[in-house]
Amino acid sequence: MIRSFLAGLVAASLLLVAPPAHGQVSESDWTERPDRFAPAGSFADRVLQPGTLEIRATWRTRSQETLFQGRSEIPRQLVLADWTMVPLSRTVHRADIDVGAGLLPWLSVAARIPFIRNEVDFATFNRTS
């Protein structure tokens, strides 16, 4: 037990004294370039200045009400011939809260908290729910 505790302590101390990752070392001044950030949808793409706190919230809703195979719509009765139930509609609500903080000139931390709510209506041979 003591041996595993000491091994964990040594591993944690090596992480604290390790040099910064090469991807986080600023080798040139990118502050004025329009491409200094990664494309939309990328997360934690840069190093924040020490003492910086960023909070971002996004909300997305997606709805589906018809069934398609390629570009052709599929009748629900055809699906019920092969499957025991068929979806009538589906709505997905998603909210993301992103928090990032600059701790040191070479170290930033970031976290994403997702909230997801799915609503699905489906039909079977006997009932709709």
Side-chain angles (χ1 to χ4, degrees):
M1 173 123 178
I2 293 174
R3 193 180 315 170
S4 62
F5 174 75
L6 289 176
L9 187 62
V10 168
S13 65
L14 288 176
L15 288 175
L16 291 175
V17 298
H22 180 68
Q24 292 190 359
V25 175
S26 176
E27 294 181 0
S28 63
D29 183 20
W30 282 63
T31 56
E32 299 301 318
R33 292 184 57 156
D35 62 344
R36 68 182 181 265
F37 300 117
S42 295
F43 184 63
D45 60 329
R46 65 195 186 286
V47 178
L48 300 173
Q49 295 297 321
T52 303
L53 177 66
E54 283 188 354
I55 300 173
R56 179 180 13 197
T58 57
W59 175 266
R60 294 181 293 266
T61 299
R62 183 178 55 184
S63 294
Q64 300 166 326
E65 292 188 3
T66 53
L67 299 173
F68 286 94
Q69 181 176 10
R71 294 185 182 196
S72 303
E73 187 173 345
I74 302 172
R76 290 186 173 94
Q77 294 82 7
L78 185 63
V79 175
L80 281 174
D82 294 329
W83 300 91
T84 58
M85 67 179 163
V86 61
L88 299 174
S89 66
R90 178 180 180 212
T91 303
V92 179
H93 304 284
R94 180 180 176 115
D96 290 321
I97 298 174
D98 299 330
V99 178
L103 301 179
L104 300 170
W106 53 269
L107 178 65
S108 295
V109 295
R112 175 175 285 165
I113 304 168
F115 301 96
I116 301 171
R117 180 176 177 197
N118 290 319
E119 299 171 0
V120 180
D121 291 327
F122 63 92
T124 64
F125 284 119
N126 299 330
R127 66 177 200 173
T128 303
S129 72

